[in-house]
């Protein structure tokens, strides 16, 4: 199948017929167009695999104006000559390897094309092909014209004409532990599917094509490690540079990923474009809330104060309510997330995925309790629930007061609440705005049973699935997949089956049983030291994720004592950054989605493992925790080590090697 990067969205005339021929090529081909406006390039490149290339031009000038037998030189002849001169010398000017070159003569037959070739191209290494020959036999002839490049030549070509597809080694986990002392520089580029996804719909949509709504939507569904964050970041950079007068916003679910991504981008590319904002969704929502309401925003540090108020008012007014306080708090968040307007709206709202049923009378009581608790929270302490902020903004419905954007990109979109998407639509340019989503349906543990239709987005026919993982190995991804499939009852339509073909086999994840949770802290330090020495891996090549069963203060104190205070980067600390270029990143499991490293250590997951292995929990709780464990396991690129004081149950123990 032929992949067009970027897609030819509005092909007409010769472009449409060219596309038909190129799409008929047998095998995996890529048709590339250069995006840089300040660089001359052929109309497009044809690529097979990584190393076989051909440069192509389409000339629509008629033979009547190009005929070399004419007495006087015509303007079209001069234009044709300039084009051939540029085509014959572009490699030398760009410092890229020599390619084979073909010009399709759309206004000439075979004899006329041969006459022009004899006059202009005989000594330039340029082939001419008539329109008729191209349409009738181009699919057979084009593959024969491809030239195989050396790997370093291919890197030079990609780096010059498609620099937006290049990613630095620090931005990828495509690494191997095998040592190679040859002096050479290895450059990384987005995979063709990833690059295709990053360049979807780069041209602003015409008003006439806005049949389905007032902005375009694209969804990338990808398995763990398929490069969704890289796709979104690459696309955001392209848009910011292509449209310097338009605002581009990239929203990410959690703080560690924003800090990690911005740190790496700044190290590699320098300053991020001024018109590009990369921010967590909650920070962006808070910023918009303060902009609209012009008030100081006070937020609770934890759920304790809200739960205390729930207990107080249910004792006073609703002592017979059956749901636990934690369930009622979750229901309050659900009311905010789904932008429930009033009591009558709440009585009719669909609650699928909430995990417990409520009769009509109970819903009335819950709504009354919701109003009492939220009012008291604000009156007593001036606090608001985090989930109430986007609801406030949506119900205010004053988009003209919000900061607007032309392009919004959402990474890890499976974790976004319906209210977040409603707010996104309010801030998106109504006539030219584009919305781009990246998601992994296999990881959706925060917003269970959330569908794009429920959040008001029509992605039917606008979805691309990426099934190949480039981060991790077959052994790690297969183990995570088997764990998830064996525990959950996922709807097949919501599950994305990875493509394991061609993946590095790797070694199964390792399970280390420690005598106690305190011993697990010492054990993880020993494992990190062992990887430093055994495979000469720097601390920056490792990631430590910890769960709620660990003593965080003890963990950080022990790590700093072992490796140095400036070598530990706690990514959950708001103002903390890396104190050294070679720092060990640590983060909570709940905030780890989007993070990655060649080697990942998991510690303090005893509670999570017990919930995954406990048959007495509800199906929803079981599924959410299984997805969380799946996410944590798939952060690893080459090696995954799980350290726990709790033994694994039989249904998942076989997925691990045991130390």
């Amino acid at each position: 199948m032929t992949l067009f990067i970027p897609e030819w969205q509005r092909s007409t005339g010769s472009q449409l017929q060219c596309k038909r021929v190129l799409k008929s090529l047998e095998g995996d081909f890529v048709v590339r167009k250069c995006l840089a406006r300040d660089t001359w390039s052929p109309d497009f490149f044809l690529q097979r695999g990584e190393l076989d290339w051909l440069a192509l031009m389409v000339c629509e000038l008629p033979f009547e104006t190009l005929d070399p037998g004419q007495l006087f030189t015509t303007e079209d002849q001069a234009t044709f000559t300039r084009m051939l001169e540029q085509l014959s010398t572009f490699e030398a000017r760009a410092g890229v390897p020599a390619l084979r070159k073909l010009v399709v003569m759309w206004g000439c037959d075979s004899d006329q094309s041969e006459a022009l070739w004899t006059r202009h191209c005989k000594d330039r290494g340029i082939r001419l092909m008539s329109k008729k020959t191209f349409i009738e036999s181009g699919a057979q002839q084009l593959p024969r014209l491809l030239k195989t490049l050396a790997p370093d030549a291919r890197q030079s070509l990609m780096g010059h004409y498609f620099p937006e597809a290049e990613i630095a080694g620090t931005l990828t986990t495509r690494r191997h532990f095998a040592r190679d002392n040859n002096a050479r520089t290895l450059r990384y580029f987005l995979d063709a599917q990833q690059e295709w996804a990053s360049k979807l719909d780069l041209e602003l949509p015409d008003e006439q094509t806005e049949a389905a709504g007032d902005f375009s939507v694209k969804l990338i569904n990808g398995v763990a490690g398929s490069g969704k964050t890289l796709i979104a970041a690459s696309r955001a950079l392209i848009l910011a540079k292509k449209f310097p007068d338009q605002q581009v916003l990239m929203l990410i679910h959690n703080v560690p990923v924003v800090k990690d991504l911005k740190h790496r981008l700044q190290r590699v590319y320098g300053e991020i474009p001024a018109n590009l904002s990369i921010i967590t969704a909650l920070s962006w929502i808070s910023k918009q809330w303060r902009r609209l309401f012009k008030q100081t925003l006070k937020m609770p540090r934890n759920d304790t104060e809200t739960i205390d108020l729930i207990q107080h008012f249910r004792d006073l007014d609703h002592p017979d309510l059956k749901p636990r306080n934690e369930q009622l708090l979750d229901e309050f968040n659900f009311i905010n997330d789904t932008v429930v307007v009033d009591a009558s709206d709440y009585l009719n709202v669909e609650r699928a995925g909430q995990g417990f049923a409520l009769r009509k009378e109970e819903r009335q009581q819950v709504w009354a309790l919701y109003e009492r608790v939220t009012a008291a929270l604000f009156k007593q302490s001036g606090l608001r629930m985090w989930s109430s902020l986007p609801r406030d903004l949506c119900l205010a419905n004053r988009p003209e007061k919000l900061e607007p954007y032309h392009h919004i990109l959402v990474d890890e979109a499976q974790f976004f609440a319906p209210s977040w998407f409603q707010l996104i639509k309010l801030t998106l340019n109504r006539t030219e705005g584009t919305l781009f989503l990246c998601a992994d349906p296999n990881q959706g543990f925060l917003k269970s049973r959330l569908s794009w239709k429920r959040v008001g987005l029509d992605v039917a026919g606008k979805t691309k699935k990426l099934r190949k993982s480039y981060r991790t190995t077959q052994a790690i991804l297969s183990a995570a997949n088997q764990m998830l499939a064996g525990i959950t009852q996922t709807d097949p339509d919501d599950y994305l089956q990875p493509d394991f073909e061609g993946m590095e086999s790797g070694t199964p994840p390792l399970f280390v049983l420690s005598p106690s949770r305190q011993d697990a802290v010492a054990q993880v330090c020993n494992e990190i030291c062992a990887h430093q020495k055994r495979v000469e891996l720097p601390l920056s090549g490792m990631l430590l994720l910890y769960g709620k069963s660990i003593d965080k203060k003890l963990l950080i104190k022990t790590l700093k004592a072992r490796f140095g205070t400036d070598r530990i980067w706690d990514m959950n600390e708001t103002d903390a950054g890396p104190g050294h270029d070679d720092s060990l990143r640590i983060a909570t499991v709940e905030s780890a989605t989007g993070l990655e490293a060649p080697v990942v250590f998991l510690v303090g997951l005893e509670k999570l493992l017990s919930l995954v292995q406990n048959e007495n929990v509800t199906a929803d709780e079981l599924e959410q925790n299984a997805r969380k464990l799946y996410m944590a396991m798939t952060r690893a690129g080459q090696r995954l080590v799980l350290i726990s004081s709790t033994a694994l149950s039989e249904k998942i123990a076989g997925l691990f090697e045991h130390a």
Side-chain angles (χ1 to χ4, degrees), residues 108-345:
C108 304
D109 61 25
S110 296
D111 292 338
Q112 294 165 345
S113 297
E114 184 176 356
L116 290 171
W117 177 83
T118 303
R119 174 65 180 269
H120 297 284
C121 307
K122 197 171 184 179
D123 300 320
R124 282 177 160 169
I126 299 174
R127 292 171 170 81
L128 302 186
M129 181 182 291
S130 70
K131 169 185 174 181
K132 185 173 185 293
T133 302
F134 180 79
I135 292 175
E136 292 181 352
S137 59
Q140 292 74 43
Q141 295 199 39
L142 290 177
R144 301 171 191 161
L145 298 178
L146 294 165
K147 179 180 179 180
T148 302
L149 304 179
D152 58 342
R154 178 255 177 187
Q155 290 185 15
S156 297
L157 182 65
M158 286 290 296
H160 184 82
Y161 284 107
F162 310 101
E164 69 280 349
E166 185 169 5
I167 50 177
T170 56
L171 287 175
T172 178
T173 55
R174 293 185 222 168
R175 309 201 176 115
H176 301 277
F177 293 148
R179 299 184 64 186
D180 187 348
N181 295 320
N182 293 326
R184 64 169 183 257
T185 301
L186 183 61
R187 301 169 71 177
Y188 294 96
F189 294 89
L190 293 173
D191 163 78
Q193 290 281 346
Q194 296 172 326
E195 188 183 354
W196 172 88
S198 73
K199 295 177 180 177
L200 280 174
D201 290 348
L202 286 180
E203 295 298 329
L204 293 178
D206 293 331
E207 290 185 10
Q208 294 84 350
T209 64
E210 301 284 333
D214 53 8
F215 59 88
S216 62
V217 178
K218 285 292 178 181
L219 168 65
I220 300 298
N221 266 343
V223 298
S226 58
K228 297 181 295 298
T229 302
L230 284 180
I231 288 170
S234 177
R235 180 179 171 88
L237 288 170
I238 292 170
L239 288 166
K241 293 175 182 177
K242 188 177 179 68
F243 307 112
D245 297 328
Q246 299 179 1
Q247 293 301 308
V248 182
L249 173 67
M250 182 175 176
L251 294 176
I252 298 178
H253 182 262
N254 54 7
V255 172
V257 178
V258 170
K259 295 170 71 173
D260 189 47
L261 179 62
K262 292 174 75 170
H263 172 67
R264 296 186 184 195
L265 288 175
Q266 287 166 348
R267 283 185 60 188
V268 175
Y269 302 113
E271 290 300 317
I272 296 173
N275 63 326
L276 170 60
S277 299
I278 302 176
I279 190 172
T280 63
L282 284 177
S283 295
W284 173 72
I285 290 167
S286 303
K287 181 180 176 183
Q288 295 282 27
W289 194 95
R290 290 191 296 269
R291 180 187 178 99
L292 177 60
F293 296 108
K294 301 187 183 305
Q295 297 179 22
T296 302
L297 188 59
K298 295 178 62 179
M299 308 306 298
R301 290 189 175 183
N302 51 53
D303 297 331
T304 302
E305 191 164 356
T306 309
I307 289 178
D308 288 345
L309 287 172
I310 291 174
Q311 183 65 54
H312 172 72
F313 286 113
R314 73 182 296 173
D315 288 343
L316 286 178
D317 304 322
H318 313 288
D320 297 329
L321 262 180
K322 293 181 180 179
R324 304 188 309 272
N325 290 340
E326 291 75 14
Q327 289 178 312
L328 289 171
L329 176 60
D330 183 66
E331 189 70 8
F332 291 179
N333 287 324
F334 166 78
I335 289 170
N336 289 329
D337 288 342
T338 51
V339 196
V340 175
V341 177
D342 51 29
S344 61
D345 189 17

Side-chain angles (χ1 to χ4, degrees), residues 423-604:
L423 180 58
I424 285 171
K425 290 196 288 184
L426 284 175
T427 61
L428 200 57
N429 186 285
R430 292 278 173 172
T431 58
E432 297 179 329
T434 63
L435 176 60
F436 185 81
L437 311 174
C438 290
D440 179 357
N442 299 352
Q443 288 186 36
F445 60 83
L446 292 185
K447 303 296 176 187
S448 58
R449 299 191 189 178
L450 184 65
S451 68
W452 303 115
K453 187 175 181 180
R454 279 181 61 189
V455 299
L457 297 176
D458 176 19
V459 295
K462 304 172 186 177
T463 302
K464 175 68 177 178
K465 294 183 179 180
L466 300 178
R467 300 180 182 275
K468 190 174 288 294
S469 176
Y470 296 93
R471 173 196 301 145
T472 190
T473 63
Q474 182 173 337
I476 294 173
L477 186 57
S478 177
N481 252 31
Q482 290 181 59
M483 180 278 300
L484 188 62
I487 292 177
T488 65
Q489 302 296 320
T490 303
D491 187 332
D493 292 336
D494 295 333
Y495 181 74
L496 197 59
Q497 179 64 42
D499 177 7
F500 293 107
E501 184 178 356
M503 286 185 67
E504 181 183 346
S505 56
T507 57
L510 176 68
F511 177 75
V512 180
L513 182 63
S514 285
S516 68
R517 297 181 183 183
Q518 289 75 18
D519 289 313
V521 173
Q523 183 67 49
V524 76
C525 290
N526 293 337
E527 291 291 339
I528 293 170
C529 283
H531 279 78
Q532 277 186 303
K533 296 175 181 178
R534 187 166 60 244
V535 297
E536 298 185 10
L537 188 68
L539 287 174
S540 57
M542 294 180 263
L543 172 66
L544 172 60
L545 304 179
Y546 59 92
K548 296 180 179 179
S549 300
I550 204 74
D551 183 337
K552 179 182 176 180
K553 290 184 178 179
L554 174 63
L555 175 65
I556 293 179
K557 180 181 178 181
T558 306
L559 288 169
K560 288 183 175 180
R562 189 73 170 267
F563 303 105
T565 301
D566 63 338
R567 297 296 182 97
I568 305 302
W569 182 10
D570 183 357
M571 305 190 75
N572 292 107
E573 288 294 329
T574 305
D575 299 324
H580 194 280
D581 283 344
D582 185 25
S583 296
L584 173 71
R585 292 170 295 152
I586 68 171
T588 64
V589 168
E590 286 75 15
S591 65
T593 179
L595 294 176
E596 59 179 34
V599 176
V600 171
F601 301 95
L602 305 177
V603 68

